[in-house]
Amino acid sequence: MTHDLSRRAFLETGTTLAATAALAGRAMAQPRVAIPPAPVAGAIATGIIGTGGRGTNDLHAVLEHGKVAAVCDVKADRMKAAAEAAARDTPAQLADWRRVIDRKDIEAVVIATPPHLHAEMAVAALQAGKHVYCEKPVAITPETVAQVVKAVKASGKVFVSGQQLRSYRRLGTAVGKIRGGAIGEVLMVKAQRHSESDLSHTGTSADWFFDVEKSGGYLIEMSVHNLDLCNWAIGATPLKAAGFGGILLYKDDPPGRSIMDGYTLSYDYPGNVKLYFTQMVFHPKGLPGGGQFVHVYGKKGACDLMGDTKVYPLEGEAAPAELVPKMDEAPNAHMLAFYECIRGKGANPADIGVGATGALTAIMGHMAITTGKVVEWKDIAGGL
């Protein structure tokens, strides 16, 4: 049920077209492909838990690479629509998610519910012997992140977190070249996620998103994508975080709102690398400097991982140099990787390490803002 939004794509380059869509919107909606006439050979029976915007996109990815054995949602209309979309596989319709993981014929589950439910469902599924594809964030508190980490390690099953950017070849190539010295030693990253309006107050996700205890708010539910990309580029997780934020514009709107609508964060990384990150939902459309970017600064120059990925030299008059050429990206590569890992093929692009560190980076930022204190990684990441 992780939500959807129309204002996703903000870049026209082939850098990470679908990937940047994930960051620009509330949840990544990958391009849908034609449904094959029959399940792929050796299709892995999969249960879809949560069939909202994000879950529906995951369902289409499963139809491409697996078999939809069951769909589950507390909202009957969503579940019915999901069953119709997956009619090829005649899935069972189950309102109780526990019945999905109790099914002996189901080998894997996809969890796409509101974030506060991720940890409980993932742990239960792993303990039931299921492989798990869990949408981001894997959890919204340090304690529940640790529970998922423990369950994954004890299960011996495949766990893929929904950090889909990790499956985009152009991003991976760019990060590899940055790590290889293309811009020199990394000194600082500046990133932002700005949009022109709040999430719809009457949309299908409004019943949970504005409650910070259920969603974690913009920072944890959405910016986990951005912050994971920053971690990936730097090649480390932050040592500490400090920040300021609050409900700046949409005060008690919608009524009872407890999530912030704007904040600034500063992270300190090993090697004295700095990250400055901002997010707001009141950046007027057309005002310069909107949208999102991840500017990575090094001793030789800088590049924007969410832009043209060119290297802009720090000194001299040299023209920007191409870091990575445009390339086509498979629309459902992340889900394919999940199934390939189950079959013992290929590497996991976003294992529990990626999922947990991404979530904890966002969580420590949230804690820094809400407590007014500097939060240290060592105090929240004991399970890693």
Side-chain angles (χ1 to χ4, degrees):
M1 304 170 204
T2 305
H3 48 290
D4 202 0
L5 187 71
S6 60
R7 56 178 191 275
R8 287 192 175 85
F10 64 96
L11 293 177
E12 60 184 14
T13 70
T15 309
T16 54
L17 188 56
T20 51
L23 301 181
R26 306 310 195 213
M28 179 173 161
Q30 299 168 333
R32 293 178 182 171
V33 298
I35 298 173
V40 295
I44 293 169
T46 305
I48 312 292
I49 304 175
T51 57
R54 182 64 245 154
T56 297
N57 280 280
D58 287 340
L59 179 146
H60 282 269
V62 172
L63 282 170
E64 182 180 358
H65 298 295
K67 177 183 177 181
V68 180
V71 293
C72 175
D73 204 296
V74 295
K75 296 181 178 179
D77 58 337
R78 285 184 171 183
M79 183 163 59
K80 181 175 181 291
E84 291 174 351
R88 181 200 71 184
D89 296 345
T90 60
Q93 298 181 52
L94 306 170
D96 185 346
W97 64 269
R98 294 171 184 82
R99 292 184 61 194
V100 177
I101 66 173
D102 285 343
R103 290 267 299 253
K104 302 301 182 184
D105 61 318
I106 289 178
E107 299 176 63
V109 297
V110 172
I111 299 170
T113 59
H116 70 299
L117 301 173
H118 288 181
E120 179 186 8
M121 292 177 173
V123 169
L126 290 163
Q127 291 176 344
K130 313 301 183 185
H131 302 288
V132 175
Y133 181 107
C134 183
E135 278 300 339
K136 53 74 197 167
V138 298
I140 61 174
T141 67
E143 295 77 17
T144 50
V145 170
Q147 290 169 13
V148 179
V149 171
K150 182 179 179 180
V152 172
K153 291 180 177 179
S155 71
K157 297 298 179 180
V158 172
F159 181 95
V160 172
S161 59
Q163 303 286 169
Q164 292 93 345
L165 297 186
R166 295 287 183 138
S167 283
Y168 282 84
R169 296 183 301 141
R170 193 173 187 190
L171 270 181
T173 303
V175 168
K177 290 190 174 184
I178 288 172
R179 300 270 193 85
I183 63 172
E185 180 184 345
V186 174
L187 304 173
M188 184 174 182
V189 176
K190 183 178 181 182
Q192 72 174 39
R193 182 181 184 126
H194 292 186
S195 59
E196 73 275 8
S197 63
D198 207 14
L199 179 70
S200 172
H201 294 182
T202 58
T204 57
S205 297
D207 58 350
W208 58 268
F209 183 78
F210 295 100
D211 182 348
V212 73
E213 298 297 326
K214 294 181 178 180
S215 68
Y218 285 106
L219 176 56
I220 297 173
E221 207 278 348
M222 299 179 187
S223 292
V224 64
H225 279 304
N226 308 64
L227 295 172
D228 176 57
L229 181 53
C230 294
N231 285 349
W232 195 13
I234 294 170
T237 51
L239 297 173
K240 52 188 176 181
F244 300 92
I247 305 174
L248 308 178
L249 175 61
Y250 295 98
K251 298 183 184 298
D252 200 33
D253 184 12
R257 178 194 192 109
S258 57
I259 68 167
M260 299 178 289
D261 60 6
Y263 50 82
T264 62
L265 280 167
S266 180
Y267 290 88
D268 203 28
Y269 284 77
N272 207 30
V273 178
K274 310 300 180 187
L275 165 62
Y276 178 66
F277 182 76
T278 66
Q279 181 167 14
M280 65 170 70
V281 291
F282 43 84
H283 191 115
K285 187 175 182 179
L287 178 70
Q292 302 178 64
F293 58 72
V294 174
H295 292 171
V296 185
Y297 298 87
K299 287 187 175 180
K300 296 179 181 178
C303 69
D304 182 2
L305 280 178
M306 295 175 68
D308 58 17
T309 65
K310 290 181 179 178
V311 174
Y312 291 80
L314 184 60
E315 298 179 355
E317 301 297 327
E322 184 175 72
L323 182 64
V324 183
K326 295 180 181 180
M327 59 182 69
D328 292 331
E329 304 283 358
N332 293 314
H334 209 59
M335 190 65 72
L336 173 59
F338 175 53
Y339 289 117
E340 290 294 271
C341 284
I342 293 173
R343 297 185 179 103
K345 303 176 182 178
N348 190 330
D351 61 12
I352 186 57
V354 170
T357 55
L360 287 170
T361 301
I363 290 167
M364 72 187 295
H366 178 81
M367 292 174 64
I369 294 169
T370 55
T371 65
K373 299 178 180 179
V374 173
V375 176
E376 297 197 33
W377 183 264
K378 63 180 178 64
D379 294 330
I380 66 166
L384 294 180

